[in-house]
């Protein structure tokens, strides 16, 4: 066998192996196989309708990880297994109980401040009858105030 008889098949084999290695590397990079992650499990009352494995986990619009898997537990809750970026873990609070209590207090104070009722709505008899002259006068005042250029000359 001469030297040229095995060089071309060997070069072809090495080329195919190099292409396969590049494709495998690209797939691994795309799937995040070479990225270090920190496992985090969140127990929730429900997983939601759009929570799927491989979804992005975002905090304030920045991706901080992805959903590894979702597991339903016997007590009806859902365990969300997340793969978090280690450089972003310091942004995520360990216990959000106090933040939730503060949020509830703010919502309650806002409801009191705005004067909203927390009870049921009061039903009104419908239809409400309004005289046509009141409607025309109200529209005229609205146009005079907000659109003075449209008001007719008086």
């Amino acid at each position: 066998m001469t030297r040229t008889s095995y060089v071309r098949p060997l070069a072809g084999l090495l080329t195919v192996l190099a292409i396969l290695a590049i494709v495998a590397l690209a797939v691994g990079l795309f799937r995040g196989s070479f990225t270090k992650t920190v496992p985090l499990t969140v127990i929730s009352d429900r997983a939601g309708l759009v929570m799927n494995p491989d979804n992005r986990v975002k905090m304030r619009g920045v991706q901080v990880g992805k959903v590894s898997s979702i597991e339903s537990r016997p007590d009806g809750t859902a365990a969300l297994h997340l793969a978090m970026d280690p450089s972003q873990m310091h942004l995520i609070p360990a216990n959000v109980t106090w933040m939730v209590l503060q949020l509830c207090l703010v919502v309650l104070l806002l409801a009191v401040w705005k004067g909203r009722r927390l009870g049921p709505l009061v039903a009104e008899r419908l239809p409400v009858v309004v005289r046509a002259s009141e409607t025309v006068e109200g529209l005229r005042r609205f146009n005079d105030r907000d659109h003075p250029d449209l008001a007719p000359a008086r």
Side-chain angles (χ1 to χ4, degrees):
M1 223 186 205
T2 64
R3 181 177 185 268
T4 59
S5 64
Y6 65 87
V7 171
R8 287 186 75 156
L10 185 61
L13 179 65
L14 288 176
T15 303
V16 169
L17 288 176
I19 291 172
L20 288 176
I22 290 171
V23 169
L25 179 67
V27 169
L29 287 173
F30 180 75
R31 294 189 63 200
S33 301
F34 307 113
T35 306
K36 290 185 181 181
T37 59
V38 175
L40 177 69
T41 302
V42 177
I43 307 299
S44 177
D45 292 337
R46 58 190 177 103
L49 297 175
V50 294
M51 186 63 68
N52 295 317
D54 291 330
N55 274 2
R56 296 176 181 155
V57 177
K58 291 187 175 184
M59 183 168 183
R60 297 182 183 158
V62 177
Q63 182 176 348
V64 294
K66 70 175 189 170
V67 179
S68 295
S69 65
I70 302 171
E71 165 191 345
S72 74
R73 299 174 51 173
D75 60 352
T77 59
L80 307 171
H81 301 284
L82 309 176
M84 305 300 290
D85 183 5
S87 65
Q88 303 290 332
M89 283 299 287
H90 70 280
L91 299 173
I92 300 170
N95 189 355
V96 295
T97 304
W98 287 110
M99 291 191 316
V100 170
L101 289 176
Q102 287 175 349
L103 181 64
C104 290
L105 178 66
V106 167
V107 168
L108 179 67
L109 290 175
L110 184 65
V112 169
W113 177 61
K114 285 291 190 179
R116 304 266 189 240
R117 282 185 51 120
L118 298 177
L121 296 175
V122 177
E124 292 185 20
R125 292 175 19 138
L126 293 176
V128 176
V129 178
V130 178
R131 292 190 331 247
S133 61
E134 285 184 40
T135 304
V136 170
E137 184 65 24
L139 287 173
R140 185 191 63 80
R141 280 194 211 119
F142 169 75
N143 284 332
D144 287 349
R145 183 187 70 216
D146 291 343
H147 306 287
D149 53 329
L150 297 178
R154 294 179 203 211

